[in-house]
Amino acid sequence: KKTDVEKVLDYIDQHNLNDVTKYQGVAKGKNVFVIHLESFQQFGLGMQINGQEVTPFLNSLYNSDSTIAFDNFFNQVGQGKTSDAENMLETGTFGLSSGSLFASHGSDQTFQAMPAILHQSEGYSSAVFHGNNASFWNRNNVYKNMGYQYFFDASYYDTSGDKAMGYGLKDKLLFNDSIKYLERLQQPFYAKYITVTNHFPYTLDDNDKDPNFQTTSTTSDIVNGYFETNHYLDQSVREFYQYLDKSGLAQNSVVVLYGDHYGISNSENKALAPVLNKNPDEWTDWDDQQLQRVPFMINIPNWHGGGINHTYGGEIDVMPTLLRILDVDNPNQYVNVGQNLLDDKRNQIVAFRNNNWITPKYSRVGSNIYDNQGQVIEKLTKQQQAEVDKIQDEVNQQLNVSDAINQKDLLRFYTPKHFTPINAQKYNYANGLG
Ligand code: GP9
Ligand code: MN
């Protein structure tokens, strides 16, 4: 009888891809910036409102040949929202089927996460910059178990007066006021920036609004506000890139940008549909699923050879992908349930936390199976039924293996050959010394 760990390792052996792909090592040894674009969905990219691009800078990154971009990349978060996205990107496992893994397990979970892997295998230092309190989503405890050396939370910035909004320091200030800490980090570093301004209910102080950007005039303040905070977020990232260029950091860095989950919930569909040139009366839950796309971009300044990759994938696939573009040794020794986005042997099955899924051919939303044009397939042929059943099995297995790892904290019993288990006591974020 196999132990739980053996079953997990068997799954990973047959599910992980280990081909050397086109971009293997393309960013080896570079500083890694991870920019978490809060609540930013793919449909914002390329959108024009009243003749103005909503996110001109992100559009330029997306279309640049210095960027490997994805247009069928989906968020796969559960109730843990931002914290589920962080968990997927840095541990290669899903959040929980309910609640937040960070909150319920994070304080004493055994992680073998990206900051620790990159530090031990490639000598990276690591930091998170986030304008909210350290205890939100239990991050101050989780990050120590992930091996983050530094966590520059709200206590490191001046958040007085109108400098903070909603969940913390406004994004333009986060990128600017964190520079004095970033410049102290030993290179190469892995630095994650978690933005907050583009967060429900998407309000902006008047003096943060761009007078040249005229947002939509739908019946929903949420929808109208969303494009304003999208635009603000875009300006924040542009200003950060100006710093990267001026400081020379752009030369030896790779910038990973991703949207963490949807921003507009389907309660606003009536107002959103016309903005997307859709008829609100024809909107189905297939359309809702289509909007679960979020941007994922790997931008390497002054490098050429990128392009838009149409593979179907999601947040669970980011870790195996980054391990390869950074050329980390023997990437398959690190437990994750994803598949390298750059490997064309991928099964292109995107599992959602609620057991729904999407592939290039079909998608399942609740009790409906849709074709890729959004038509419900009322009567599946035997052949289609067999295909759909196989996809569902893959989805259930991927989620079950992930839940076994997290619910039973199985990494206590498996340590990669050259990995030293993390000792959380080593980290003290209060005075910023790792
Ligand atoms: C909280 C911020 C927002 O610090 O990350 O989190 P979310 O509400 O998206 O989970
Ligand atoms: Mn979020």
Side-chain angles (χ1 to χ4, degrees):
K1 186 171 166 338
K2 293 201 168 198
T3 66
D4 289 330
V5 183
E6 285 165 341
K7 283 183 223 160
V8 165
L9 295 176
D10 285 351
Y11 170 78
I12 285 164
D13 278 350
Q14 53 88 14
H15 185 251
N16 257 5
L17 303 170
N18 47 24
D19 309 288
V20 178
T21 59
K22 176 180 176 190
Y23 295 115
Q24 179 79 22
V26 74
K28 186 172 183 69
K30 288 179 177 283
N31 296 313
V32 182
F33 287 93
V34 179
I35 300 185
H36 171 111
L37 304 169
E38 179 53 41
S39 304
F40 184 65
Q41 295 176 244
Q42 180 80 5
F43 72 76
L45 283 186
M47 178 174 269
Q48 293 216 4
I49 292 172
N50 299 318
Q52 293 272 329
E53 286 181 78
V54 180
T55 58
F57 184 73
L58 290 171
N59 295 343
S60 68
L61 286 184
Y62 182 71
N63 294 304
S64 161
D65 76 344
S66 300
T67 304
I68 305 164
F70 296 83
D71 58 356
N72 292 309
F73 180 90
F74 291 82
N75 84 80
Q76 299 170 283
V77 304
Q79 292 172 346
K81 302 296 288 282
T82 290
S83 66
D84 281 0
E86 294 188 75
N87 194 63
M88 283 185 273
L89 269 78
E90 292 180 330
T91 75
T93 64
F94 288 85
L96 301 179
S97 52
S98 67
S100 158
L101 173 71
F102 270 31
S104 58
H105 294 56
S107 295
D108 45 17
Q109 191 85 344
T110 301
F111 293 114
Q112 292 152 9
M114 285 299 275
I117 293 168
L118 293 177
H119 177 66
Q120 295 189 24
S121 65
E122 307 287 326
Y124 278 73
S125 59
S126 58
V128 181
F129 300 94
H130 183 46
N132 200 356
N133 304 323
S135 59
F136 200 98
W137 285 133
N138 193 29
R139 287 184 173 111
N140 51 327
N141 293 313
V142 171
Y143 287 167
K144 289 174 185 169
N145 289 319
M146 286 188 162
Y148 267 111
Q149 292 171 328
Y150 303 93
F151 177 20
F152 298 106
D153 76 305
S155 67
Y156 282 87
Y157 316 108
D158 175 2
T159 57
S160 64
D162 64 356
K163 298 181 187 65
M165 168 77 118
Y167 286 86
L169 186 72
K170 292 172 178 176
D171 296 344
K172 288 184 180 179
L173 299 176
L174 174 69
F175 285 120
N176 184 63
D177 299 357
S178 54
I179 287 171
K180 57 180 175 294
Y181 304 123
L182 174 70
E183 290 182 340
R184 282 178 40 193
L185 287 186
Q186 199 70 38
Q187 297 188 39
F189 51 70
Y190 176 89
K192 175 160 75 169
Y193 292 75
I194 304 178
T195 61
V196 296
T197 308
N198 185 56
H199 190 289
F200 187 87
Y202 309 111
T203 51
L204 262 190
D205 289 337
D206 286 342
N207 57 12
D208 291 321
K209 289 181 181 173
D210 175 358
N212 303 318
F213 179 75
Q214 180 58 42
T215 187
T216 50
S217 50
T218 73
T219 54
S220 160
D221 292 342
I222 298 297
V223 170
N224 300 337
Y226 187 62
F227 297 114
E228 284 187 321
T229 49
N230 279 196
H231 189 71
Y232 174 88
L233 173 58
D234 185 69
Q235 291 184 326
S236 310
V237 177
R238 182 158 52 86
E239 289 176 11
F240 187 54
Y241 261 79
Q242 284 165 346
Y243 162 72
L244 293 183
D245 291 337
K246 246 191 349 255
S247 64
L249 274 174
Q251 299 295 340
N252 50 1
S253 298
V254 54
V255 186
V256 175
L257 302 101
Y258 71 97
D260 63 338
H261 48 66
Y262 68 84
I264 302 290
S265 71
N266 44 22
S267 60
E268 309 297 333
N269 286 345
K270 282 261 171 283
L272 179 65
V275 178
L276 302 178
N277 302 319
K278 285 189 175 296
N279 177 343
D281 302 331
E282 289 164 11
W283 191 284
T284 68
D285 48 19
W286 181 82
D287 294 296
D288 286 337
Q289 189 179 67
Q290 292 296 302
L291 291 191
Q292 296 316 306
R293 284 177 176 80
V294 290
F296 180 61
M297 299 186 245
I298 301 170
N299 173 250
I300 306 175
N302 311 307
W303 166 81
H304 302 285
I308 296 177
N309 186 318
H310 305 301
T311 192
Y312 274 65
E315 289 167 314
I316 201 66
D317 301 312
V318 170
M319 178 173 157
T321 305
L322 295 188
L323 288 173
R324 286 167 175 80
I325 68 149
L326 296 169
D327 210 12
V328 172
D329 269 352
N330 188 6
N332 281 345
Q333 70 182 313
Y334 303 109
V335 167
N336 72 80
V337 300
Q339 295 191 319
N340 180 10
L341 288 163
L342 302 167
D343 192 321
D344 51 20
K345 295 206 188 64
R346 321 173 20 77
N347 65 18
Q348 297 199 70
I349 296 174
V350 184
F352 295 110
R353 191 59 263 195
N354 59 6
N355 286 315
N356 286 341
W357 45 264
I358 188 165
T359 73
K361 246 176 112 178
Y362 303 109
S363 68
R364 176 204 161 183
V365 191
S367 56
N368 286 329
I369 300 293
Y370 290 91
D371 67 20
N372 56 17
Q373 301 304 313
Q375 301 306 316
V376 175
I377 306 177
E378 298 295 352
K379 191 88 195 75
L380 290 156
T381 64
K382 260 167 63 70
Q383 155 75 15
Q384 286 174 326
Q385 190 61 56
E387 280 182 79
V388 162
D389 291 346
K390 186 170 179 330
I391 294 167
Q392 190 66 57
D393 286 346
E394 290 278 347
V395 163
N396 297 345
Q397 206 183 16
Q398 188 181 37
L399 291 170
N400 292 340
V401 167
S402 178
D403 289 341
I405 294 166
N406 286 327
Q407 299 283 13
K408 300 173 184 170
D409 194 10
L410 292 179
L411 295 188
R412 286 174 293 164
F413 311 119
Y414 166 77
T415 305
K417 221 180 359 280
H418 303 301
F419 188 86
T420 305
I422 295 299
N423 169 10
Q425 265 68 40
K426 257 183 53 183
Y427 304 97
N428 171 359
Y429 299 137
N431 54 19
L433 296 178

